[in-house]
Amino acid sequence: MTSTPRFQLRRTLTVAALSLLGLGASVSSHAQAWPSKPIRIVVGFAPGGTTDAMARLVAQSLTESLGQSVVIDNKPGASGNIAAAEVARATPDGHTLFISPTSVETVNPHLIKSNLLPSRDLTPVSGIGKSQMYLVTKPQSTAKDVRELVAQAKSGKLAYASAGAGTPPHLACELFKQATGTNILHVPYKGAAPALQDVLAGQADMVCDPGIAFPHIRTGKVKLLAVVSEKRSPFFPDVPTVAEQGFKGANLDIWFGMWTPNGTPAEVIARLNREVAKALASPTLKARYADLGGENVSMDTAEFKALLANEGKVLGALIRDQKITVE
C-alpha cells in the first residue's frame, strides 16, 4: 500500500516529536546525574590556614552527601586571585568550585592589578561561615579597655601588627584607627601567625586577630580588649565590642564563601547551596569550626550576593580614604 503525502508528513512529525521527548529526557537525566565525577575545590591559600581548614570540612561533608569524592586543590598566591582565575577558566559543569574569603571579590580589585574581576568572572553560590576579629594587645600593655588604649595612642606612639597589607586583619585595624581617630603605625607581616608572634614577644603593641590567638588569650599571654565586630563573640561573651566601648564603625568579620565558573547550571548551584546549608547545620561541623575560631553561618545565594555588594562598597571606600596600597 502506498503512503499518502499526508500520512508521510504525520509520520515525520510524530518521529520528530518522539525524538525531542527523548532529548528532553536525556538532558533531564544528565542534570540529575550531577555530580558524575569527582569535584575539585580550588583554595587560594596554603594548607593549614583557616580557609583551607573550612574548605576541607565542607569537602568532607559534600563527599558524604553527594556520593562523589570532593578534593581540595591548594593554589596559593596573589591573595586568592591565582585560584580564582583558574576556576573562572574551568568548564562550568559543577565539578570545579572555588572557596575563599570574600576579600577576593571585595578587596582585591581595589589593591591588585589583574585581568580577573571576580564579581564579573565568577558566580557566587553560598556563604560557608565567618570569623570575627579580636583586638589583642601585648602582655605588657597597661590598657584595661579600648578607651585607655586610645588615650595611650593619642599621647604616644603605638604600632600594630597585621597579616599583610590589604588583608582583613589590616583593614580591621584601619577601621579601628578611623573609628577612634588615632594614628597607630602599621607593621605588616607575612601572615597572621608571625604578626601574633611579635605581639606575644612585645615587639608590637596590638593586633586585630582572626582567632588564632584564642589559646594565648585563655592562658593570659595576650590581652583581649574588644571584639572588632557588630556583635560580641560567642567564644568570649563577656568581652564588649569596640562600639560598646564608645567607638562606632570598627566592624569587620571575615566571611568565607563558595563560587563556581560562570555558566554553571542553575540547578547545580541550587543543589550546592542546599548541600552546603545541610553540612553547616551539622553539630560536628559546628564544633570543628569553633576549634578554628569560626562560626558555621550559612547564607543562600541571594544573601551571599548582598553581603559581597555591601562589603565591597564599605571596604572599597576605606581603601580609598586611607590610601591603602599593596607594596
Side-chain angles (χ1 to χ4, degrees):
M1 180 176 177
T2 303
S3 299
T4 65
R6 180 176 294 179
F7 176 78
Q8 290 175 336
L9 176 61
R10 184 182 300 161
R11 184 175 66 181
T12 300
L13 291 173
T14 300
V15 170
L18 290 172
S19 298
L20 286 174
L21 286 171
L23 177 62
S26 174
V27 170
S28 176
S29 64
H30 178 73
Q32 292 173 358
W34 178 90
S36 59
K37 60 183 180 180
I39 295 171
R40 181 171 67 116
I41 296 179
V42 185
V43 175
F45 298 87
T50 302
T51 306
D52 174 74
M54 285 188 175
R56 290 179 188 277
L57 290 171
V58 171
Q60 181 180 349
S61 293
L62 292 179
T63 294
E64 295 168 359
S65 64
L66 295 176
Q68 278 283 359
S69 296
V70 182
V71 298
I72 300 299
D73 187 4
N74 298 91
K75 298 284 184 179
S79 297
N81 272 15
I82 290 175
E86 179 166 326
V87 173
R89 294 190 298 265
T91 302
D93 60 2
H95 293 93
T96 304
L97 311 174
F98 176 55
I99 283 182
S100 173
T102 53
S103 55
V104 74
E105 180 169 328
T106 62
V107 173
N108 288 8
H110 300 286
L111 296 173
I112 300 172
K113 292 182 180 179
S114 173
N115 292 328
L116 172 77
L117 187 60
S119 61
R120 177 196 65 204
D121 301 328
L122 292 167
T123 298
V125 174
S126 172
I128 68 163
K130 73 169 185 175
S131 293
Q132 291 178 291
M133 291 288 189
Y134 301 88
L135 182 62
V136 172
T137 62
K138 64 183 180 182
Q140 301 91 341
S141 175
T142 58
K144 297 182 181 62
D145 55 31
V146 170
R147 290 186 181 87
E148 290 188 6
L149 184 69
V150 169
Q152 291 176 5
K154 290 184 175 181
S155 63
K157 291 183 179 180
L158 294 183
Y160 76 87
S162 88
T167 61
H170 174 204
L171 299 179
C173 276
E174 287 298 317
L175 283 171
F176 177 82
K177 285 168 55 178
Q178 193 176 67
T180 57
T182 52
N183 184 22
I184 305 172
L185 177 66
H186 173 218
V187 183
Y189 290 78
K190 293 182 179 180
L196 176 62
Q197 196 59 43
D198 261 15
V199 174
L200 282 163
Q203 300 301 312
D205 296 292
M206 55 180 274
V207 65
C208 290
D209 179 80
I212 64 172
F214 281 12
H216 306 296
I217 293 169
R218 291 180 175 128
T219 57
K221 292 181 179 178
V222 291
K223 297 179 179 180
L224 174 58
L225 296 192
V227 183
V228 191
S229 177
E230 290 185 359
K231 299 179 179 179
R232 294 192 181 197
S233 166
F235 307 112
F236 300 97
D238 295 331
V239 178
T241 65
V242 175
E244 286 179 306
Q245 299 186 56
F247 304 95
K248 295 182 179 181
N251 309 316
L252 183 62
D253 296 329
I254 305 179
W255 289 91
F256 302 85
M258 176 185 288
W259 290 256
T260 63
N262 287 344
T264 299
E267 62 267 27
V268 172
I269 292 175
R271 175 94 184 273
L272 274 169
N273 195 287
R274 293 194 301 271
E275 296 295 344
V276 169
K278 184 167 67 176
L280 293 176
S282 161
T284 300
L285 190 141
K286 179 180 180 179
R288 297 288 299 278
Y289 264 42
D291 291 339
L292 303 170
E295 297 176 62
N296 57 326
V297 182
S298 66
M299 283 180 285
D300 63 29
T301 302
E303 291 169 331
F304 188 43
K305 287 180 177 178
L307 170 75
L308 291 167
N310 181 68
E311 185 176 279
K313 182 179 179 180
V314 171
L315 296 183
L318 173 71
I319 290 165
R320 290 191 300 273
D321 294 344
Q322 300 298 99
K323 297 180 174 57
I324 297 170
T325 61
V326 176
E327 298 178 357

